[in-house]
Amino acid sequence: MEHANHWQLVNQRLMARILAECSYEGLITPQNKGQDRFELDTGEHRYQFQARRTPWDFLWIRPQTLLRNGFPSSDAIQLVLDCRQAFAMGDITLGNFIEELNNTLAGDLLRQRALAGRTAAQLLDLPPVRLETLLDGHPKVLANRGRLGWGMDDLHRYSPEASQPVSLHWLAAHRATGLRVYGQPAPEQCLTTDDREELAPYLQSRDWQLVPVHPWQWQHHIQPQYAAMLEGGNLVDLGPRGHHYLPQQSIRTLSDLDAPGACDLKLSLTILNTSCYRGIPPEPMALAPELSAWLATTASTDPLLAATGLTVQRELGGVHLPHPHQQQVAGTPYRYREMLGAVWRESLAGKSAEGEQAWIFAMLMQTDADGTPLVAEMIRRSGWSVERWLTRLFDRVTIPLYHLLCRYGVGLVAHGQNLGVIFRQWQPERVVVKDFHGDLRLVEGDHPMQAGMPDSLAGALPRLPAAHLFHDLYTGHLVTGLRFLSPLLEDYLGYPERDFYRLLHDRIVQYQKAYPDLAHQFRTFDLFRPVMERVCLNRVRFRIGYGDDAARPTPTLGPELPNPLHPTNHQTLETCDE
């Protein structure tokens, strides 16, 4: 069924996300009025809706039931205005946030129109690179398509939901520019045969490096900000050339359309989206190639990681060209330090064999235009029961990530866009990890992870207290991924969420029994604590606003979170407030 009013639908879904996430973060407190009926009193207005409270102290809302003062409502911006006192935003921040939300609605509208008429089964039959363009954004970020700096032409040319091929702009940078090169950049993988022949003098020279640039970045930032280098001849404009690419959900990372399975490209894109400007900082780039190679070797030699098939999308190399004037300003906004950079990374498609399917984890949280989850169709095609399928998913995804944390003290920010999952016959086969460019950290102190890790890495990687590193897994994977997967299985396949988390609890216990030598680490990274820290992203934006800063923003904490993995929390779950 094609929805006649896509605008109404995307507004209702955004309203549901605003109510659910702001309630989850402790900013608002809708009251249960009996059974599945909830009400939020904003002072001047009342919002009513139907929902159930999940094990995460999270409201799973039915968007089509939303009422404002007793009448159907589909105005997400007005909801924010009605809640402005609870959100405690100043007018300057609120005005910017409204712009982000309108941009998000524009992207959602384009995506919804592309989804219209396609069933879950039809979506699963799309090539993974095409399906990824139709996925939702980060589910817990309200303005997850905010993209400040883009207009409508940019949305229709460069966004994932537009699904349009992108031609890159290329530069040749001389070493005299201050260019930094890390690992083994692979520009030749991105170029046609004619390009390689024409650009051979640059490709074969030790003094020059080819640098790909996103066409939007070239137009809006590189041409004016690097004009001195371009005019001086140390930075040469080679024009649009090379393969065609398709934006992934992260926008600045691109998949090669002309050579499927070839490396992905991650490019600087100075737009504010979700939590920060999407440039590429140079510091982690220096470690990423060696780090991902070490992790790939570790995955192949560690008995559990090898048995479960944990796979690494290695970062092959990168380039960064600092701005000659901005780098002389110690406290300049971080976006000016990250304007021109590129990372070459192995692709997810290149990690799957014949007969396998590879998707990012976020696909498991996706529904079709009518709300039917893709994961429900996937489980049906697998021929397995829900419990058997989930057992394999936990054993091949969650347990390897937990083992990596406990055995090696390595934390990955494991949200739905950073994890890939490879399937065989629609059954989970192995997890694929990526994004070592700033998203991999080590635990403080002495830890077994030193075994086999080069001193150059162990001494240079960011170190965090165990309590912080723990949330790369808990908040990154469980809260940001499983929190949105488990209610879909209850609603559409009748598999209760309490059984979902009881099963995950049991799989973790089985893993822990098999590794008694890690008992101390299991206590350090305790997945079974009765309450957890509630890490919040939207609170941060409301608090810090939109002003420039020398450092990227960091999350903040909300009220304590009851842990669904603690036995007393998953044995009996109520669907309404006490």
Side-chain angles (χ1 to χ4, degrees), residues 284-295:
M285 192 188 299
L287 304 174
E290 186 180 11
L291 175 60
S292 55
W294 170 82
L295 188 57

Side-chain angles (χ1 to χ4, degrees), residues 150-442:
W150 270 10
M152 291 302 292
D153 285 348
D154 303 315
L155 174 72
H156 285 276
R157 291 177 65 186
Y158 304 127
S159 71
E161 53 269 26
S163 196
Q164 295 299 311
V166 175
S167 295
L168 306 183
H169 207 96
W170 285 83
L171 304 173
H174 195 274
R175 303 290 171 145
T177 58
L179 179 77
R180 303 169 185 173
V181 180
Y182 308 102
Q184 298 294 323
E188 65 282 350
Q189 287 194 30
C190 314
L191 299 170
T192 66
T193 301
D194 289 345
D195 289 329
R196 290 194 293 270
E197 291 178 358
E198 183 181 346
L199 301 177
Y202 293 116
L203 287 168
Q204 295 168 8
S205 171
R206 301 182 65 176
D207 294 326
W208 290 89
Q209 175 67 49
L210 295 190
V211 181
V213 180
H214 193 286
W216 186 90
Q217 190 77 354
W218 165 252
Q219 179 68 27
H220 290 265
H221 291 279
I222 306 308
Q223 284 190 88
Q225 299 304 317
Y226 287 80
M229 286 187 185
L230 289 164
E231 292 297 325
N234 284 335
L235 190 61
V236 180
D237 176 12
L238 303 176
R241 60 177 66 241
H243 294 173
H244 295 89
Y245 287 82
L246 202 61
Q248 298 177 7
Q249 274 298 306
S250 60
I251 303 177
R252 60 180 167 165
T253 304
L254 309 170
S255 300
D256 194 324
L257 280 177
D258 296 341
C263 63
D264 294 341
L265 270 175
K266 183 175 181 178
L267 305 177
S268 294
L269 200 59
T270 310
I271 59 171
L272 184 69
N273 192 52
T274 61
S275 60
C276 62
Y277 284 95
R278 294 295 157 182
I280 296 183
E283 295 80 11
M285 192 188 299
L287 304 174
E290 186 180 11
L291 175 60
S292 55
W294 170 82
L295 188 57
T297 299
T298 301
S300 67
T301 55
D302 179 278
L304 182 137
L305 298 180
T308 56
L310 183 138
T311 302
V312 178
Q313 279 179 252
R314 294 179 303 155
E315 296 196 1
L316 306 176
V319 294
H320 178 262
L321 182 55
H323 190 278
H325 300 130
Q326 292 286 357
Q327 69 174 344
Q328 299 178 51
V329 184
T332 194
Y334 69 88
R335 59 193 173 102
Y336 294 133
R337 298 196 304 269
E338 305 176 4
M339 284 190 293
L340 183 48
V343 173
W344 283 262
R345 174 193 293 150
E346 292 179 326
S347 67
L348 179 58
K351 294 299 181 180
S352 58
E354 187 175 353
E356 294 180 332
Q357 309 94 24
W359 290 283
I360 60 173
F361 188 92
M363 185 273 289
L364 299 178
M365 302 177 278
Q366 179 65 45
T367 65
D368 65 16
D370 290 322
T372 301
L374 273 61
V375 67
E377 172 64 15
M378 179 173 284
I379 293 174
R380 185 194 69 78
R381 291 185 181 188
S382 75
W384 285 3
S385 68
V386 178
E387 185 149 317
R388 185 183 179 191
W389 193 92
L390 275 177
T391 299
R392 173 65 74 88
L393 182 75
F394 295 150
D395 288 350
R396 296 299 174 91
V397 177
T398 308
I399 297 300
L401 294 174
Y402 189 44
H403 182 74
L404 196 61
L405 180 64
C406 293
R407 172 66 76 187
Y408 298 98
V410 169
L412 294 165
V413 182
H415 59 67
Q417 295 179 11
N418 265 7
L419 292 183
V421 184
I422 292 178
F423 298 82
R424 182 174 289 275
Q425 297 179 338
W426 309 101
Q427 300 153 6
E429 188 71 15
R430 60 191 182 276
V431 67
V432 184
V433 296
K434 70 174 182 181
D435 211 350
F436 310 102
H437 183 258
D439 274 359
L440 187 147
R441 293 85 72 87
L442 304 180

Side-chain angles (χ1 to χ4, degrees), residues 14-76:
L14 181 53
M15 290 173 71
R17 187 161 78 241
I18 292 168
L19 289 166
E21 290 304 314
C22 290
S23 173
Y24 174 79
E25 294 193 6
L27 293 163
I28 56 176
T29 310
Q31 299 299 307
N32 182 249
K33 296 299 182 179
Q35 296 184 338
D36 64 350
R37 294 180 295 110
F38 286 80
E39 182 175 283
L40 175 68
D41 185 350
T42 69
E44 296 183 4
H45 303 280
R46 293 178 182 271
Y47 284 85
Q48 298 90 20
F49 52 89
Q50 294 178 16
R52 61 181 172 85
R53 193 172 293 280
T54 79
W56 292 101
D57 188 29
F58 172 61
L59 292 176
W60 188 249
I61 298 173
R62 286 192 268 172
Q64 69 275 16
T65 66
L66 279 160
L67 303 175
R68 180 177 184 264
N69 300 327
F71 296 95
S73 179
S74 56
D75 189 339

Side-chain angles (χ1 to χ4, degrees), residues 468-521:
H468 290 192
L469 199 71
F470 173 77
H471 280 280
D472 287 353
L473 173 67
Y474 190 84
T475 297
H477 178 51
L478 277 74
V479 174
T480 309
L482 301 186
R483 173 163 65 106
F484 298 95
L485 173 59
S486 57
L488 291 174
L489 298 181
E490 178 164 327
D491 283 357
Y492 288 89
L493 295 179
Y495 192 81
E497 287 194 78
R498 63 178 176 271
D499 292 343
F500 183 103
Y501 293 104
R502 184 185 298 122
L503 177 62
L504 178 54
H505 172 276
D506 292 346
R507 300 315 300 166
I508 295 169
V509 168
Q510 289 298 312
Y511 160 71
Q512 291 180 341
K513 287 180 178 178
Y515 290 88
D517 59 309
L518 295 178
H520 175 73
Q521 281 74 31

Side-chain angles (χ1 to χ4, degrees), residues 11 465 548 558:
N11 266 274
D548 276 326

